[in-house]
Amino acid sequence: MVDNFEIPKTFINSEFARSEYNIRGEFLGWHIVHKSTLKRELKSDLDEKNLKLSPHGIMNDRLMVERLEQNWRLENWK
């Protein structure tokens, strides 16, 4: 199903997103990604502003279903 809805006037689209930075299964921090330039900054800890950033990248249907089943929420993604 497809539908349209009006985006609230208070919505602000951030220029940044975040992604986990893992090497060989070891969590090393977070990449804060500038969406336009794709420049990344590595941070070991996230401040309150960065905790509100959306994931960087695209979720496929299987990942969406998995996260819905796990009751995944952006505010709990730490």
Side-chain angles (χ1 to χ4, degrees):
M1 280 200 247
V2 176
D3 197 4
N4 293 318
F5 65 95
E6 192 169 322
I7 297 174
K9 302 280 187 221
T10 58
F11 178 77
I12 298 171
N13 190 13
S14 175
E15 292 181 65
F16 297 92
R18 66 178 162 133
S19 63
E20 294 179 11
Y21 182 58
N22 297 303
I23 293 184
R24 295 187 191 118
E26 181 183 351
F27 176 76
L28 299 177
W30 296 92
H31 270 147
I32 306 301
V33 183
H34 190 276
K35 292 180 190 176
S36 303
T37 63
L38 298 180
K39 289 187 178 180
R40 299 168 183 261
E41 178 184 351
L42 182 61
K43 294 193 175 200
S44 56
D45 295 318
L46 297 174
D47 57 23
E48 206 160 311
K49 177 181 148 189
N50 292 332
L51 281 172
K52 297 177 182 176
L53 295 175
S54 296
H56 182 255
I58 298 171
M59 286 190 208
N60 64 23
D61 58 337
R62 290 185 181 179
L63 182 56
M64 279 194 225
V65 168
E66 179 181 311
R67 288 192 170 174
L68 286 169
E69 289 174 345
Q70 295 172 352
N71 201 28
W72 184 90
R73 297 283 181 262
L74 179 61
E75 56 271 11
N76 299 330
W77 185 41
K78 299 176 183 170

